[in-house]
Every structure is written in structure tokens, then in C-alpha cells.
Amino acid sequence: MAICSGCGGRRVIVDPDSGDRVCRSCGRVLSTDKYRHEAFTSEGRPTSFLHFTGGDFGYRERKLHRARAVVADLTARLGLSAARAAEAAALASDVTDGALGEGQWFPVLVAACSYLVSRRHRLPLSLSEAAAAVGHDACDLGRMAARAARHLGLPPLPEFDAAGVLDRVVRTRPCFSGVEPEKSKELIGQGRFLLHCATKWFLTTGRQPLPMVAAVLAFVAEVNGVGVSVEEIAKEIYAGVTTSKLRLKELMETLVRVARSLLPWGKDVTVKNLVQNAPLLIRLMERKSKSALSEGPGFGFGGLGLSGLYQDGEAEDSKYFEIDREEDGNANCNIPEDVNLSGECISSAYKNVLQRISHLKEIGEFDKVQAKKARKDQLDTGALQDSWEGRWDSEKKLTLEQMLERDVGYDALPPSFVTGVQARRYRKAKIEAAKHRIHKIMKPSSSVDAVFKVEDCVPGEEVVGRKRRSRKKLQVDSLDWEDCIIELLLLHQVNEDEIEQGQYNRLLDLHVFCS
């Protein structure tokens, strides 16, 4: 027998007129089934009905109803399909033992479960995007996701699909909405290839992937003439703008080193003219990664050369390397169409062009012919890209091991390792300078009066980007806190190898303050 929740009475009857179940003692309507018109046309006629069911729902039912609404709304904003949304809801239910929940923590839990489901199925949903959807910090969401994974005993998640994020940005984001479909495919293909190269060059090791995605997209957009800045892309994918600019700088400096290794005119490639050389450079790297031929001297492609690069393309693709015989009768390099071009021949032709430019500058005719020959001296990227159709299909499903094993013509050390080696060399130079100062004070008669420079002890590095101006010259007269600490440690007979590691606080505690 039904009991009234209002007065606790057991006299519940069914109204014969309306069919409602009401309490005869207090008159409370316990349940009802009615159809009410909710939508009307312009003429006032009802077009749809809403089935209104009134009843006495408890706290648990209302809480579950609100929680399911939160789950449905959040998964829809994150772009999950119905199946993935149901999987995220089931994951949240398992974490809370079927109770779900309310409050500010519950949307964070739903976003964390959605992120876990996306990572499990390799969907392009980043932690920053999921955190932005609920208005919380990415660190809070990451901690919640880690706790949920530990509580449920989930297996290790697969690697984050940065290439999928790149594909999604180009196809769906407003900043790339005006790009033609063919150019979008080229952006995605070049972006995937450069992301794999960045992985091989350790530019993504131990770092957040989204800034590198923004950097790669900004670079390939500039190469293909798409006016999208790195700031716009970083904001679209919720990546740090400053970090994205730093990754773009690192990527361009690395590509300059690659160009100097692969291109015959690589020594003239800089960060400023890298965009003009990038289409050919990317093509060479891509052909190098797919070529099984041995490397030849000076060019890195052996028998393949640049001739093999253009054998499957159009005839216009090789006009960048032709020499104008009408304007220069002294050209000594006849190149028939059926002769393969070697790296030595191209280097000779390039040196010949440089000599011609120097001669024109001497006689003052360079400015007159520069505008005329601008289009002929530049790479015809449009004709070159016509022969690239379908070549990016092999870049879609590469594992990390395959990325690291492939050969793109250049191998780089991890940036953190290079920075650590340079810092160790710099500290070693400071140690030598400190020993020189101590020796000069202890034995002034035998000391040399020459000025000791730290820069002289540090081996010079290859300059790729803009050269930074040092604020002060590191000489004997300009000492900083690090020089004073090194002198103090040397006076306490600390091993130089330990000082080179740079752990000054530990060494001071062990050898200075405890002595």
C-alpha cells in the first residue's frame, strides 16, 4: 500500500476524473500523467506535446538526474560521440560507485573521465582543452585523471596523438577555414612529417606536445602562404604562446642545420630565408627517409641526387637548376634532359651563379637584372607540389620506434643534453678563471698580467639564429655570485668535477658550512 510522503497516511486513492493518485487525508498529488501543449504555430495551433509526469522523487533520483545532465552537456562540448560519451559516463559512475555526485568537483571528474576515454581511443583531445571546458587548471584535471586511473586500475594509456591534433586544427578551426582542400591536405602532410622529424630530433622529448604542434603548423602555414600566426594557433589549441614561439625558433634553427647538411648551397641558408628553401628541403628529407640507397659524398643522397627527385615529376620542376645560356655565353655546364644531375654538378653550377652575381655587383648591373631574375632564381613551389600527391599516406601510422629509426639526413642530440654540456663547459671555464685569480693572489710574482676571458675557454658553437649581445664581458674585473662561490669551493679543496655539475647548495652544505 502506498504511503503519503506529506502526512504519512495510507489513504491513497485514484481520482476517477483525472487519474491522479492523491492522498485522501491531506489532498497531496503523489503522481499524475498529463499531456500539455508546449509549442504553437503562428496561428496558435499546438505542434508538439510535452509529457509531464509529476511524482514524489527523492534526493537520490534528483541528484542522478542533474549529474547525467552535466555529463551529457560536458561530453557534447568536448565533441565526443554518443558511444564515447556513454563510456565516459560509465567511467564516472564506476569511480563514484554509481552515486555520481554534485558540486564543483563533479565536472572536473567528468572531464577527467572524458580525457581518459579519448586517450584510450587516441582521440585528439588534449588535457588543456578539457580543462578549459570546465574552467579549471590543467594540473587539477591531470591530478583527477591520475587518481581515477589508479582507483580503477586502468592500463597505461597510449601516447598522445599530436598528429591527430594537427589534423583536427587544420580541418575544423576557424583560422584555417578559408584554406582550399588541396592545400589543407598539404599542410597536414607536411605538418605530420615535421612532427615526426621533431620527435627524431628530440625536440618533443620531455615537453608538452601542443606548443610543438602550434610551431609546426605556423611554419608550414608560412611555407604554403597561409596567413596564420603562431599566436592564433596557440590560442586555438590552448597552448602557451611564449612556449610555442620558443618551439618555433628551435624548429627553424634545427631546419637551418639540416639545410646546411643536405643542400649544396646550405651555408647560405639562414633563419630569414629558410621559408624560401623549405619546400625543397622538406622534399629532400622526405625522399631521404624513403630511400634505401647509400649516401654519397658531399650531398647525402648518393646516386639518387636531385635528378631522382624530379624523374617522377614534371619537366618544370627542374627549371630552378637550369642556367640561362642566352644571358651568359660563358656557361660551361650543358645539362641535357636525359642526364642525371649529381651533387658535384649542382655545386659547380651554384658557385658559377655566385661568381656571376659578384661580377654584376662590380659593374653595377646587379640591381637592374635582380627584379628580372627573381622569379627564375626562386623555387617554383607550385609545380613542385603538383608531384607530391599521395606521398604523405605513409606518415599517418608511424610508431615512436619507426620515427626514431628513420633517416631524414640529419641526426640531432637532445636540446637538454646539449644545454647541459654547454653549461658544464661554461662552468669549467669559470673554474679555470677562478684558479687563475687565486694563483695570481697567492703568487703575484709568477703570475701573468694577461686578462683572462671565459669566452676563450669555451669552444665556439655554430651560429644559426640571431647573435645575442652580451650585457657584460666576463673578465677578471666583472665577477658575479657564481664566480665567488666557485672560488670559495676551490679554497675548501672541493673536487672540480663536482663543481662542474653546478650543485652549489649541496657542495656548500657539505664542505663549507659543515667544516
Side-chain angles (χ1 to χ4, degrees), residues 34-313:
K34 293 183 179 180
Y35 291 91
R36 298 183 181 179
H37 300 298
E38 291 293 331
F40 302 89
T41 63
S42 58
E43 299 177 356
R45 292 179 299 180
T47 58
S48 62
F49 302 92
L50 176 65
H51 183 252
F52 174 79
T53 301
D56 188 17
F57 297 104
Y59 169 76
R60 176 180 174 81
E61 287 77 11
R62 291 195 299 270
K63 185 183 71 171
L64 292 177
H65 176 73
R66 289 192 293 266
R68 293 190 184 101
V70 171
V71 173
D73 177 67
L74 189 55
T75 53
R77 278 188 289 162
L78 293 177
L80 298 183
S81 61
R84 301 295 170 254
E87 191 173 348
L91 209 62
S93 179
D94 293 341
V95 172
T96 58
D97 296 330
L100 296 181
E102 288 182 321
Q104 297 182 353
W105 63 272
F106 184 68
V108 181
L109 174 62
V110 176
C113 294
S114 302
Y115 174 73
L116 292 175
V117 171
S118 301
R119 284 288 300 273
R120 182 186 301 174
H121 296 279
R122 297 186 64 84
L123 299 178
L125 176 64
S126 64
L127 192 66
S128 301
E129 184 178 355
V134 294
H136 280 262
D137 188 71
C139 296
D140 297 336
L141 185 61
R143 285 191 292 267
M144 180 67 77
R147 290 176 59 188
R150 286 195 303 268
H151 179 74
L152 298 176
L154 298 179
L157 297 175
E159 298 175 3
F160 182 73
D161 189 10
V165 176
L166 186 144
D167 188 295
R168 180 187 179 190
V169 171
V170 175
R171 296 184 186 276
T172 62
R173 295 304 182 185
C175 56
F176 290 95
S177 58
V179 181
E180 299 177 357
E182 293 299 326
K183 186 168 287 189
S184 297
K185 293 180 181 178
E186 191 62 30
L187 289 174
I188 295 173
Q190 291 183 357
R192 283 178 177 269
F193 180 73
L194 288 181
L195 272 179
H196 295 166
C197 292
T199 303
K200 177 179 176 57
W201 298 330
F202 303 100
L203 297 180
T204 59
T205 304
R207 295 173 169 180
Q208 302 226 357
L210 293 182
M212 180 55 68
V213 173
V216 169
L217 267 179
F219 180 74
V220 297
E222 186 178 3
V223 170
N224 290 273
V226 180
V228 182
S229 63
V230 64
E231 292 87 354
E232 298 179 37
I233 301 174
K235 292 178 181 178
E236 287 286 346
I237 63 177
Y238 303 97
V241 177
T242 304
T243 309
S244 301
K245 290 181 179 179
L246 181 60
R247 297 293 176 268
L248 178 60
K249 178 184 176 183
E250 292 177 351
L251 177 65
M252 296 183 69
E253 290 178 354
T254 305
L255 288 175
V256 168
R257 296 189 181 95
V258 178
R260 293 177 180 179
S261 175
L262 291 181
L263 298 178
W265 56 90
K267 63 180 181 180
D268 296 328
V269 178
T270 61
V271 175
K272 293 183 179 180
N273 59 16
L274 177 62
V275 175
Q276 286 73 26
N277 294 275
L280 179 61
L281 179 61
I282 295 175
R283 181 68 188 271
L284 290 176
M285 293 164 56
E286 184 256 339
R287 281 317 251 327
K288 177 68 175 177
S289 65
K290 296 180 180 179
S291 174
L293 300 178
S294 60
E295 296 186 358
F299 191 66
F301 278 79
L304 179 64
L306 286 180
S307 61
L309 181 65
Y310 294 105
Q311 283 176 355
D312 56 349

Side-chain angles (χ1 to χ4, degrees), residues 353-366:
V353 172
L354 293 180
Q355 293 176 1
R356 291 168 55 192
I357 292 176
S358 301
H359 177 67
L360 290 175
K361 286 182 177 180
E362 291 177 358
I363 63 178
E365 296 292 332
F366 180 73

Side-chain angles (χ1 to χ4, degrees), residues 17-38:
D17 297 329
S18 61
D20 299 340
R21 299 179 63 202
V22 298
C23 178
R24 191 170 184 178
S25 301
C26 62
R28 184 184 181 91
V29 178
L30 301 180
S31 64
T32 181
D33 293 319
K34 293 183 179 180
Y35 291 91
R36 298 183 181 179
H37 300 298
E38 291 293 331

Side-chain angles (χ1 to χ4, degrees), residues 311 335-341:
Q311 283 176 355
I335 306 176
E337 295 181 357
D338 56 346
V339 176
N340 290 339
L341 297 176

